[in-house]
Amino acid sequence: MADEMAKFLVFSDLHLVDEGDEIIGLDPLARFCDGLEHALSQHPDASRVVLLGDLTHHGRSAQYQRLRGALDGLTLPVSFLLGNHDNRAAFLRVFPEAEVTSSGHVQQMVDLGPACLITLDTLDDHADPRHSGRLCAERLGWLERALTWAAGRPVIVALHHPPFATGFSGMDAIALQNPAPLYALLKGYSGPVQLLCGHIHRTISGHAEGLPFTVFKSPCHQMPMRLGDAGSAHSVAEPGAYGIVLVGAGSVIVHSEDFAIAAAARMAQDITSA
């Protein structure tokens, strides 16, 4: 990898539960820890970890405490985003060091060198429909200032709720509910823009309104490939994944790693070469 490229790791939709609880027979904390261990071992040159929202399943303080425990000893800086399963007040009680705006939202500007990372808080405390996302005037105003700060460099804009449809009808119904002002700001920006989103629990890429996007899988449970189905509670125990983002002055490259498959393949290779 060229020296001028920055690298960071992305985990979305951790959905940590209380100790002893599971989601469809899976332990979200164990899955996240496995994924984080794999990512750090394979990418020791990463400069940051980005947690793309739905950090917990119920937004309880005890669940955020479990996340803090999982991050103990991590030497990389962490960018936290909030999703529809999170609770802003409970999160900030456990992570008071997280960056917040003057309006109390968890948003951050990060200078990556060749580019800028801008994280947005799409958690809507009064969501209608439930679990959908929204960017209020204060958050959009902050984004406008962040884009001015970025000054034409490539920007990676990370948010939990996609502002576009994905074909998963049930999830599309609870996506970002007011995408138009977001697109107006991003399309008016003088440099390249890349969107990173979570929420869907699938690996998806494409472009919307002329902007490239990537959606990441969860390290835990995934959305089954049931395009067009109503409802947002479908889950399947497919392998978990994390993202690797490479950023240069003229490019953004996004990879997805199914870490359980990768670990098993590596183990098999070690056995056959022994």
Side-chain angles (χ1 to χ4, degrees), residues 68 91-100:
R68 179 169 279 287
F91 166 77
L92 289 172
R93 282 195 296 272
V94 178
F95 292 96
E97 72 274 20
E99 290 193 31
V100 296

Side-chain angles (χ1 to χ4, degrees), residues 49-50 67 72 146 157 170 177 179 192 224 237 248 260-261 272:
V49 175
V50 177
L67 175 59
D72 278 351
V157 178
Q177 296 298 291
I261 294 176
T272 55

Side-chain angles (χ1 to χ4, degrees), residues 11-17 21-36 54-57 201-202 216-223 234-242 257-260:
F11 287 85
S12 187
D13 297 277
L14 313 185
H15 286 269
L16 300 192
V17 293
D21 289 348
E22 296 179 331
I23 297 177
I24 64 167
L26 303 174
D27 180 347
L29 179 61
R31 298 275 290 223
F32 171 59
C33 289
D34 286 349
L36 184 61
D54 278 2
L55 309 176
T56 68
H57 198 55
H201 295 233
R202 293 296 314 180
F216 295 96
K217 289 173 70 174
S218 164
C220 189
H221 55 295
Q222 314 307 333
M223 168 67 72
H234 310 298
S235 298
V236 64
E238 292 181 2
Y242 61 85
E257 175 77 296
D258 288 341
F259 56 85

Side-chain angles (χ1 to χ4, degrees), residues 100-105 107 136 138-139 142:
V100 296
T101 67
S102 59
S103 57
H105 297 104
Q107 303 194 144
C136 62
E138 289 84 359
R139 283 173 275 190
W142 180 92

